[in-house]
């Protein structure tokens, strides 16, 4: 028994924040942002628009694409680092929006790897027969924890949501998922505030939950760890690099993505790139890129996909998927 992606969906909030917009308030420029990151614009949630608002739109599109009804959903796994509330978790909030009742609904907080973790967990429920129609979501409103006075992070992040429906299938399916974390790296990429630790910076006494990142060091470790996760996925399935039809990477930096494509001997034409339009949307980035590739017709049934992500923690992982 495998789990199989039956449908995908994504949603971007309307407001666009371009590099030119950022030039007006920050000591930065379009040329620097494009060449160092690949980002041209990112989408930002409207005031009052929450992570679950974005997720609901993406989920409804995935449900429609899968040809299922919300009442069939029997498991929800929701990756996010920017939840609406401390509790109920975003999975439960989304469940209520969709009018689903009674099924397990959980949120996974593993930063940019949130969707890969959620996918892996949902896959295990479907394979074991415990779930027959799992909704897997990655959604974020990172703009709410971005310090727009810090040019090293303000240029990177955006908001959005992506979702898939997983159903049981005797044909592959998700071939394997590979999850990792190493908390020794926590100081290189983190959000400063939390419920238990408090939302006030002890040094300044001011409220602060913003993302802090040692970008250059994160970059080097991301390339190494992602490279290992990609090799691990291929080895676990005894597949050669040439078997991969599409690379669907976490969209953090074009240069990290190019490094992964080189490692796989893949031309960039075989990589689904959304970073120029979406920026880094953390847990939402992989399912949104997947949905873009499916809806524009590049990704076809039977294609072999390699999904990978890396984020704060550090957490990282990959998934090998026969679409
Ligand atoms: N505009 C202009 N100049 C800038 C900007 C900016 N927005 N930001 C930094 N600079 C300057 C720096 O001050 C520095 O100047 P100096 O040489 O005079 O000191 C110079 O540019 C180079 O800075 P670096 O930080 O070395 O730039 P780098 O090439 O590493 O790019 C970036 C920075 C884009 C952040 C990159 O390191 C990166 O993408 N890192 C990985 C991010 C990532 O993968 N994160 C994981 C997922 S995110 C998550 O989990 C939430």
């Amino acid at each position: 028994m495998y789990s199989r992606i039956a449908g995908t969906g994504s949603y971007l909030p309307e407001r666009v924040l371009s590099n030119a917009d950022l030039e007006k308030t920050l000591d930065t420029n379009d040329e620097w942002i494009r060449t160092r990151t690949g980002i041209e614009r990112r989408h930002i949630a409207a005031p009052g628009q929450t992570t679950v608002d974005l997720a609901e739109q993406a989920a409804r599109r995935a449900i429609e694409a899968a040809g299922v009804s919300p009442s069939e959903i029997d498991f929800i796994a929701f990756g996010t680092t920017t939840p609406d509330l401390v509790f109920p978790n975003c999975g439960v909030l989304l469940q209520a929006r969709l009018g689903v009742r009674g099924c397990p609904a959980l949120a996974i907080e593993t930063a940019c790897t949130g969707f890969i973790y959620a996918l892996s967990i949902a896959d295990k429920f479907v394979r074991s027969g415990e779930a027959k129609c799992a909704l897997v979501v990655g959604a974020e409103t990172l703009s709410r924890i971005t310090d727009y006075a810090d040019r090293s992070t303000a240029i990177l992040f955006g908001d959005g949501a992506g979702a898939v429906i997983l159903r049981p299938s005797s044909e592959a399916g998700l071939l394997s998922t590979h999850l990792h974390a190493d908390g020794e790296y926590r100081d290189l990429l983190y959000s400063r505030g939390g419920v238990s630790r408090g939302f006030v910076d002890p040094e300044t006494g001011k409220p602060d939950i913003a993302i802090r990142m040692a970008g250059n060091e994160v970059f080097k470790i991301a390339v190494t760890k992602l490279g290992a996760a990609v090799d691990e996925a291929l080895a676990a399935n005894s597949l050669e690099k040439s078997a991969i039809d599409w690379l669907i990477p976490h969209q953090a930096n074009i240069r990290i993505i190019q490094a992964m494509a080189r490692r796989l001997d893949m031309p960039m034409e075989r990589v689904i790139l959304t970073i120029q339009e979406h920026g880094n949307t953390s847990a939402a980035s992989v399912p949104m890129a997947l949905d873009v590739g499916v809806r524009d017709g590049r990704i076809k049934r039977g294609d072999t996909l390699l999904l990978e992500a890396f984020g704060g923690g550090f957490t990282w992982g990959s998934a090998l998927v026969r679409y």
Side-chain angles (χ1 to χ4, degrees):
M1 178 74 82
Y2 291 94
S3 72
R4 192 147 188 255
I5 296 176
T8 66
S10 61
Y11 179 76
L12 282 165
E14 272 175 37
R15 188 186 150 211
V16 171
L17 183 67
S18 69
N19 292 350
D21 294 331
L22 287 167
E23 279 180 3
K24 291 177 197 151
T25 53
L26 279 174
D27 178 17
T28 189
N29 58 79
D30 175 56
E31 165 74 12
W32 192 97
I33 302 171
R34 269 191 294 109
T35 51
R36 295 287 180 122
T37 72
I39 300 168
E40 294 171 21
R41 58 192 74 83
R42 63 292 286 142
H43 291 245
I44 304 292
Q49 193 175 31
T50 68
T51 295
V52 172
D53 291 332
L54 307 184
E56 182 184 351
Q57 300 302 323
R60 289 195 185 281
R61 289 173 187 179
I63 288 166
E64 190 187 357
V68 298
S69 106
S71 62
E72 291 176 74
I73 292 169
D74 55 6
F75 185 81
I76 299 175
F78 194 128
T80 187
T81 313
T82 46
D84 290 27
L85 303 173
V86 174
F87 68 88
N89 77 60
C90 282
V92 174
L93 296 175
L94 179 61
Q95 185 195 47
R97 293 279 186 94
L98 298 173
V100 180
R101 298 189 75 182
C103 76
L106 53 103
I108 294 107
E109 191 188 335
T110 50
C112 303
T113 320
F115 177 76
I116 303 278
Y117 267 69
L119 188 70
S120 179
I121 293 164
D123 173 53
K124 286 162 182 66
F125 273 78
V126 173
R127 271 180 193 233
S128 71
E130 267 197 64
K132 296 206 163 20
C133 185
L135 171 61
V136 188
V137 178
E140 303 277 11
T141 45
L142 284 183
S143 60
R144 306 276 155 74
I145 56 165
T146 298
D147 177 358
Y148 284 100
D150 173 9
R151 70 175 181 172
S152 67
T153 53
I155 58 160
L156 299 174
F157 300 112
D159 301 334
V164 304
I165 295 285
L166 288 186
R167 305 216 72 185
S169 165
S170 53
E171 279 174 49
L174 259 73
L175 300 172
S176 65
T177 57
H178 307 274
L179 307 180
H180 297 281
D182 189 342
E184 283 297 310
Y185 296 109
R186 52 157 281 179
D187 292 336
L188 294 181
L189 174 55
Y190 63 100
S191 152
R192 281 168 79 99
V195 175
S196 187
R197 185 180 173 276
F199 291 99
V200 171
D201 181 341
E203 284 157 33
T204 64
K206 290 184 182 160
D208 187 7
I209 56 164
I211 298 167
R212 293 286 178 266
M213 178 165 73
N216 209 285
E217 287 169 74
V218 176
F219 188 102
K220 287 178 215 151
I221 300 166
V223 170
T224 310
K225 299 291 188 197
L226 282 174
V230 162
D231 292 348
E232 184 182 21
L234 289 172
N237 294 282
S238 305
L239 284 179
E240 299 295 326
K241 295 171 184 177
S242 56
I244 309 297
D245 295 304
W246 294 101
L247 175 63
I248 302 165
H250 172 46
Q251 316 276 324
N253 186 306
I254 182 83
R255 292 178 292 140
I256 297 177
I257 297 171
Q258 285 164 339
M260 285 311 109
R262 274 197 300 277
R263 191 178 185 107
L264 287 163
D265 299 328
M266 286 180 99
M268 285 303 283
E269 291 73 44
R270 307 300 287 173
V271 179
I272 306 292
L273 263 190
T274 54
I275 190 165
Q276 63 284 3
E277 278 293 323
H278 297 181
N280 180 348
T281 58
S282 190
S285 100
V286 168
M288 284 206 292
L290 173 64
D291 186 52
V292 165
V294 166
R295 283 179 192 260
D296 69 19
R298 279 178 290 173
I299 297 173
K300 300 198 166 46
R301 285 287 171 199
D303 283 354
T304 302
L305 319 178
L306 182 57
L307 283 49
E308 45 92 332
F310 182 90
F314 291 140
T315 60
W316 65 99
S318 59
L320 202 62
V321 176
R322 181 90 16 87
Y323 179 67

